[in-house]
Amino acid sequence: MPNCVESRLALLEAAQNPDGGWGYFAGKQSWLEPTAYALLALGDEPRARRAFDRGWRLVRSWQAAGGGWRGCALAGDPHWATSLVVTLHCTRGIWDEPFGSGVDWLVSSSGAETRPLSRLAHWLSPETVEFNPALGGWPWEPGTSSWVEPTAHALMALSRAARHVRQGGLENRIDVGKRMLLERRCRDGGWNYGNRRVLGADLPSYPETTALALMALDGHTLVEWGDTLTHVERVWQGSASPLARAWLAACLLQYRGVRPVSTGPCDTGDILVAAVEAISWNRVMAA
Amino acid sequence: MESRHGRLIGRRKFLQAGGIAAAAGAAACTRPRLLPGPPGTAAVAILRASSYQADLLDCLRRGAAACRLDVRGKRVLLKPNLVECERGGVIHTQVDVLAAAVELFESLGASEVTIGEGPGHRRDALYLAGEAGYRTGIRNFDARFTDLNRDDVARVAGFDGGIYLARTALAADLVVSVARMKTHHWAGATLAMKNLFGVVPGALYGWPKNHLHQLGIDRSVAELHHIFPRSFGIVDGIVGMEGNGPVQGRPRQCGVLVMGADLAAVDATCCRIMGIDPDRIEYLRLVSGRGHVLEQHIEQRGEAIAKVRTPFALIPKFQHVRLA
């Protein structure tokens, strides 16, 4: 195991909260997102078995009535990181009822821009934000619009889940989500948070969301993968953001099977970065 | 033209018809005007600073004195605008202004001066802070900084049934909005009040914080203004942003810092400097009962508005907010 991955796993083990979850930073309150990432990273580590079990119990206790998972102990509403929990179930080979209801919740969730009034508003002023409102992705929060990052995570989760569950509309939902991502691609070839053109002006892409979108597109035939991955590697080399570098490395690991060797600072104290750097994304995506 | 929705009239005709109806409606009723605000007046200081090489700490000290700012023993949270960052650009609050603000509040006897921000578009707040020069240009920046997007949260009243906000912001004795003077393509202008969007946690509401857009940007600005009565505003107008702000506009040299404890009064003053009618900025109208927006209720200290007025370019949809 590379030293950098080892150090990330050690950080995760040390940063677990008494309730079994992880905060975004050590000592902060537990959230679903960093907890799910930490469990994805620690899941294959025999030495972390107890830590995993405690985290798993917390995650399972956070499922809400409608099938989605809460974002933290305080918040009752289902959270976009339900996608990560569905992916986590896939990697553990657990296809039980909570998993199924989580998949159902994800399939039924869509961005508010597909609603009739939103579509009318877009039809009246299509140049305000240019996108196709017929292609609904996933929102950060129920009742709001679709954005790239939650859509990418939902696609990754449902693509894995589709191999194990029969759910009416699942394949179609995945197809529409991928088309949404392709339609939101920026002119420079990458993705930002989800607006490629606003008020007639092109917006630039970001490295982290570009990596996530490419991971979710999972070898899609409409992406020119050779040039794109070369570009990803170049951006990875030039990026100063640890989070962006972590996602770009995850993308390269998924498609090339090799994680680029990081020469940057080892630990930033950011649980998200540590976990994304430690997760075996090539295995997660193939689970 | 037949649209993909099967409608038989064109969008242009539809819009024209809508425009006529809207004009008739507008003529039939009087637009709500600014409310007078609470009793008394609000002090707002306008300080000249021709460049970021000027003695900004001295400017801020004079402004603080003019506003009779007393922060002795208080825990102060400085909230810069770091919605995005372009190195050398004018999207974010200039490091020199934020660094001077740290020195100001420490020298005024604050018990603690921290910095917090929850960027609106990108998740790696510390990276953005580095790109903005904060990590090298501000003493002990990393130790002072909290990523408000990923902070602990607490639920507070407001926003139609409550909202979760960053605990660090709620726990501060004084939240200081250290914003840049910019136009905004959805709200008209983004100044001290709109800058408070950064205390809304992305961990729950996402990147961008679409929850606030769905509720309405103007209404959300007003709600946050209500939740943070213990606040102070410093607006960096040394070089602002005009045109298609808050991210894609052009730099606009204005040469001022604007300060005050009443954020509505600070923003209204900034608007007047920018050549924008505060009466036509919806969020200012919404808060006008709680803050001072009317010019006669704002005690202008330092420079006079007329002497520093610098009309900012506005995108076509906001030409109507131009100050006559």
Side-chain angles (χ1 to χ4, degrees):
Chain A
M1 181 187 296
N3 279 342
C4 65
V5 171
E6 178 64 34
S7 75
R8 270 57 164 181
L9 292 172
L11 172 69
L12 293 175
E13 284 184 85
Q16 189 172 27
N17 284 331
D19 65 5
W22 279 263
Y24 285 102
F25 302 94
K28 292 284 193 174
Q29 74 179 49
S30 297
W31 286 87
L32 182 63
E33 183 190 17
T35 299
Y37 281 130
L39 294 177
L40 283 167
L42 294 171
D44 290 335
E45 291 302 308
R47 72 169 195 223
R49 178 72 182 272
R50 284 189 60 206
F52 182 90
D53 288 346
R54 289 170 56 218
W56 175 258
R57 279 197 296 275
L58 180 74
V59 166
R60 292 278 283 199
S61 74
W62 278 358
Q63 190 168 30
W69 266 266
R70 293 184 283 150
C72 64
L74 284 175
D77 294 334
H79 192 260
W80 67 270
T82 292
S83 297
L84 302 176
V85 182
V86 168
T87 297
L88 178 63
H89 277 76
C90 292
T91 63
R92 308 311 300 167
I94 295 171
W95 328 111
D96 58 4
E97 193 278 331
F99 164 78
S101 57
V103 171
D104 289 346
W105 182 81
L106 271 182
V107 170
S108 66
S109 173
S110 185
E113 75 277 12
T114 58
R115 294 174 183 172
L117 270 179
S118 299
R119 291 178 71 154
L120 175 65
H122 183 266
W123 179 76
L124 288 171
S125 186
E127 70 287 350
T128 301
V129 181
E130 295 180 28
F131 68 98
N132 183 350
L135 301 175
W138 279 265
W140 288 104
E141 182 196 19
T144 59
S145 301
S146 308
W147 303 98
V148 164
E149 188 167 339
T151 297
H153 285 298
L155 285 171
M156 287 190 252
L158 292 180
S159 298
R160 309 282 81 75
R163 300 170 195 164
H164 307 282
V165 294
R166 290 175 185 275
Q167 215 273 14
L170 178 54
E171 294 294 342
N172 181 58
R173 193 74 193 85
I174 292 170
D175 177 59
V176 171
K178 286 185 176 176
R179 286 163 58 204
M180 174 271 186
L181 278 187
L182 290 167
E183 201 271 337
R184 303 277 185 109
R185 196 173 189 180
C186 297
R187 186 179 287 269
D188 65 17
W191 282 262
N192 59 25
Y193 56 88
N195 284 343
R196 57 178 165 77
R197 194 169 162 83
V198 176
L199 295 174
D202 289 319
L203 301 188
S205 61
Y206 306 149
E208 57 275 17
T209 33
T210 295
L212 278 162
L214 290 171
M215 291 172 77
L217 286 168
D218 197 19
H220 198 287
T221 54
L222 289 180
V223 176
E224 57 298 348
W225 288 98
D227 290 350
T228 298
L229 292 176
T230 302
H231 175 70
V232 166
E233 187 161 17
R234 203 163 43 238
V235 176
W236 176 82
Q237 285 165 349
S239 178
S241 160
L243 184 63
R245 285 172 61 83
W247 279 119
L248 291 163
C251 179
L252 291 168
L253 176 62
Q254 177 188 336
Y255 286 109
R256 290 183 171 168
V258 179
R259 189 191 300 274
V261 178
S262 178
T263 54
C266 206
D267 286 326
T268 62
D270 187 323
I271 299 299
L272 216 59
V273 173
V276 173
E277 286 179 329
I279 294 169
S280 304
W281 287 99
N282 48 342
R283 199 190 68 74
V284 168
M285 299 303 287
Chain B
M1 177 188 83
E2 183 168 3
S3 82
R4 63 177 175 272
H5 303 290
R7 292 175 176 82
L8 293 172
I9 64 168
R11 278 179 244 210
R12 194 174 297 278
K13 284 186 177 176
F14 189 97
L15 287 168
Q16 283 169 348
I20 291 166
C29 61
T30 307
R31 194 164 65 89
R33 306 291 297 183
L34 295 174
L35 299 170
T41 58
V44 174
I46 303 174
L47 296 310
R48 273 194 199 271
S50 58
S51 78
Y52 293 107
Q53 282 69 54
D55 187 345
L56 300 182
L57 179 55
D58 177 64
C59 288
L60 293 182
R61 279 192 175 130
R62 286 186 283 121
C67 297
R68 296 193 182 88
L69 178 63
D70 182 2
V71 296
R72 283 172 295 177
K74 290 183 178 172
R75 288 165 300 158
V76 173
L77 174 72
L78 304 181
K79 160 63 183 78
N81 182 336
L82 199 53
V83 59
E84 277 195 34
C85 178
E86 183 183 39
R87 203 176 275 195
V90 293
I91 296 171
H92 57 281
T93 303
Q94 188 77 14
V95 58
D96 312 79
V97 175
L98 190 58
V102 169
E103 301 301 321
L104 171 74
F105 285 95
E106 285 192 344
S107 69
L108 290 178
S111 64
E112 179 182 88
V113 181
T114 56
I115 299 170
E117 166 65 318
H121 293 162
R122 295 190 67 178
R123 300 191 61 162
D124 196 339
L126 204 54
Y127 157 73
L128 292 177
E131 291 293 291
Y134 296 172
R135 297 185 73 185
T136 51
I138 295 170
R139 195 164 37 82
N140 298 330
F141 178 83
D142 284 9
R144 296 180 193 275
F145 184 69
T146 299
D147 178 352
L148 301 180
N149 278 327
R150 301 191 290 160
D151 193 17
D152 293 354
V153 297
R155 190 173 177 84
V156 297
F159 284 90
D160 278 344
I163 189 165
Y164 294 93
L165 296 177
R167 271 190 192 276
T168 298
L170 293 169
D173 296 321
L174 186 73
V175 175
V176 181
S177 177
V178 191
R180 194 187 281 267
M181 188 180 282
K182 297 193 288 186
T183 52
H184 192 285
H185 58 208
W186 307 134
T190 173
L191 301 157
M193 289 168 61
K194 167 77 174 60
N195 185 37
L196 292 182
F197 270 29
V199 307
V200 177
L204 276 174
Y205 300 108
W207 290 260
K209 299 164 189 184
N210 200 209
H211 185 91
L212 306 179
H213 301 151
Q214 294 284 102
L215 189 68
I217 290 176
D218 298 309
R219 167 119 187 264
S220 296
V221 171
E223 293 276 358
L224 286 170
H225 176 257
H226 191 48
I227 290 169
F228 289 98
R230 300 187 309 272
S231 53
F232 191 85
I234 298 175
V235 178
D236 165 14
I238 296 172
V239 181
M241 178 185 280
E242 66 178 5
N244 188 15
V247 172
Q248 292 201 297
R250 298 177 303 272
R252 180 69 159 118
Q253 173 82 31
C254 187
V256 293
L257 291 165
V258 182
M259 302 167 63
D262 180 334
L263 298 197
V266 169
D267 283 9
T269 299
C270 289
C271 282
R272 292 183 176 104
I273 291 170
M274 298 163 80
I276 291 172
D277 184 355
D279 191 11
R280 294 179 182 276
I281 297 299
E282 180 64 11
Y283 64 77
L284 283 173
R285 195 186 62 71
L286 290 174
V287 302
S288 61
R290 291 197 295 267
H292 292 96
V293 181
L294 290 170
E295 198 164 7
Q296 61 268 34
H297 291 166
I298 299 175
E299 209 177 309
Q300 227 74 70
R301 298 186 179 159
E303 300 292 333
I305 290 174
K307 286 193 173 176
V308 296
R309 180 164 288 154
T310 307
F312 278 43
L314 301 169
I315 59 173
K317 70 180 275 204
F318 277 107
Q319 288 301 322
H320 68 284
V321 307
R322 175 68 72 203
L323 201 56

